[in-house]
Amino acid sequence: DIVMTQSPLSLSVSPGEPAFISCRSNQSLLHTNLYNHLDWYLQKPGQSPQLLIFLGSDRASGVPERISGSGSGTDFTLKISRVEAGDVGIYYCMQALRTPYTFGQGTKLEIK
Amino acid sequence: QVQLVQSGAEVKRPGASVKVSCKASGYSFTTHAIHWVRQTPGQRLEWMGWISVENGNTKYSERFQGRVTITRDTSATTAYMEVINLTSEDTAVYYCARENYDFWSGSVTFDFWGQGTLVTVSS
C-alpha cells in the first residue's frame, strides 16, 4: 500500500496569515499520463469530508483561489494564502493512483 | 441536488455483523461508483472498497477482504456495506461517497459524501 505522511499534524494560524500543509508519499503519484493523482479533502467540525483539490493542483468547484495545491511525484503542499475562520477543520491528503486509496493522518487547523 | 443519506447509528456486540445503507438521490444512480470510507476514533480515514453501480463489480481493500461486502440495489438507488465478525477495532464512523471519474485524466475523486453512520462495537 502507498503510505501517505502529512506534516504538521496540527497548525494554529492567525486570521489573514498563510498556512502550509505538507503531504508526502512513499511512492510517486505521477501517472504515466503525467497527472499526479493526489487529492486534498477538508473535514469541517461535525461534517463529512469535502473535496478541495484534485490531481495535485486543480481546485474543486466552489473552492476559493486563496486555497491552492502544488507538488509532484512524492511531495505535495496545500497552501491557504490568507486563513479565515471558516477554514478550521482537519485537512487530509489522499492518493488516488491505485487501490487501496490511502489517506494521510490529517492536519488539524485552528485559528489563533 | 445530489444527496447520499445513510442509515442510523448502530451498537453491536463483538462477533456480530452490521449492514449500513446509503440512499442516493438527485442524479442518475448507475453513472457513478460508490466508495466506502471509515473514520476511526483517532480521526484516521481508511478506504474500504467500492462498487460499480452500473454492473455490480466490487473491489475491496485487502485489509477488509473477506469481512466486508458491498452491494447495491439499483431499483432502490441504494448501496449497502456489510461488515461481519465485528470487533472493537471496527468502532468507527462509516461513510459512503460518490465517485467522480474523469476519463481523460483518470482522476478519481469523492465529490459527495453521506453524513456518516456511527457503528459502536461493545460488549
Side-chain angles (χ1 to χ4, degrees):
Chain A
D1 297 0
I2 298 176
V3 177
M4 306 298 293
T5 304
Q6 287 181 231
S7 64
L9 299 184
S10 65
L11 202 49
S12 183
V13 181
S14 300
E17 294 298 305
F20 297 88
I21 299 171
S22 170
C23 175
R24 290 185 171 171
S25 57
N26 69 345
Q27 299 176 35
S28 176
L29 303 184
L30 183 63
H31 193 277
T32 51
N33 64 10
L34 302 184
Y35 288 100
N36 285 284
H37 290 255
L38 185 283
D39 305 328
W40 289 93
Y41 292 86
L42 165 61
Q43 185 175 33
K44 294 184 178 181
Q47 296 185 19
S48 303
Q50 61 187 79
L51 178 66
L52 291 178
I53 300 287
F54 61 100
L55 295 176
S57 59
D58 289 351
R59 283 184 208 85
S61 176
V63 175
E65 289 187 8
R66 59 188 182 81
I67 295 176
S68 61
S70 63
S72 183
T74 61
D75 285 292
F76 299 87
T77 301
L78 181 74
K79 177 185 176 183
I80 306 172
S81 60
R82 297 175 305 281
V83 168
E84 298 179 357
D87 297 330
V88 297
I90 304 175
Y91 291 77
Y92 295 93
C93 60
M94 185 194 88
Q95 67 82 14
L97 181 67
R98 65 176 66 95
T99 59
Y101 300 132
T102 47
F103 294 84
Q105 314 96 303
T107 296
K108 187 172 185 178
L109 175 64
E110 298 177 331
I111 302 297
K112 274 186 188 173
Chain B
Q1 73 282 23
V2 174
Q3 278 193 303
L4 298 176
V5 179
Q6 298 182 221
S7 48
E10 304 260 15
V11 179
K12 295 292 182 180
R13 300 288 192 198
S17 62
V18 68
K19 192 170 185 177
V20 179
S21 67
C22 172
K23 167 78 174 173
S25 62
Y27 70 99
S28 178
F29 184 54
T30 56
T31 57
H32 294 262
I34 294 288
H35 293 248
W36 289 88
V37 174
R38 76 178 186 181
Q39 186 166 37
T40 65
Q43 305 299 315
R44 191 94 189 191
L45 292 173
E46 298 179 301
W47 180 83
M48 301 177 71
W50 71 282
I51 185 165
S52 165
V53 175
E54 183 181 27
N55 59 27
N57 287 346
T58 55
K59 187 164 187 181
Y60 303 103
S61 169
E62 278 192 22
R63 172 177 164 75
F64 300 102
Q65 191 81 39
R67 280 209 311 131
V68 171
T69 303
I70 300 173
T71 57
R72 94 286 192 231
D73 180 343
T74 54
S75 63
T77 68
T78 301
Y80 304 91
M81 191 277 306
E82 182 176 25
V83 185
I84 64 172
N85 295 332
L86 291 164
T87 72
S88 59
E89 306 273 302
D90 294 313
T91 293
V93 176
Y94 290 77
Y95 292 99
C96 61
R98 189 184 84 160
E99 175 186 291
N100 187 28
Y101 175 72
D102 179 73
F103 175 81
W104 296 109
S105 65
S107 164
V108 169
T109 57
F110 305 148
D111 60 353
F112 289 94
W113 294 62
Q115 83 277 19
T117 297
L118 174 62
V119 175
T120 303
V121 184
S122 174
S123 54

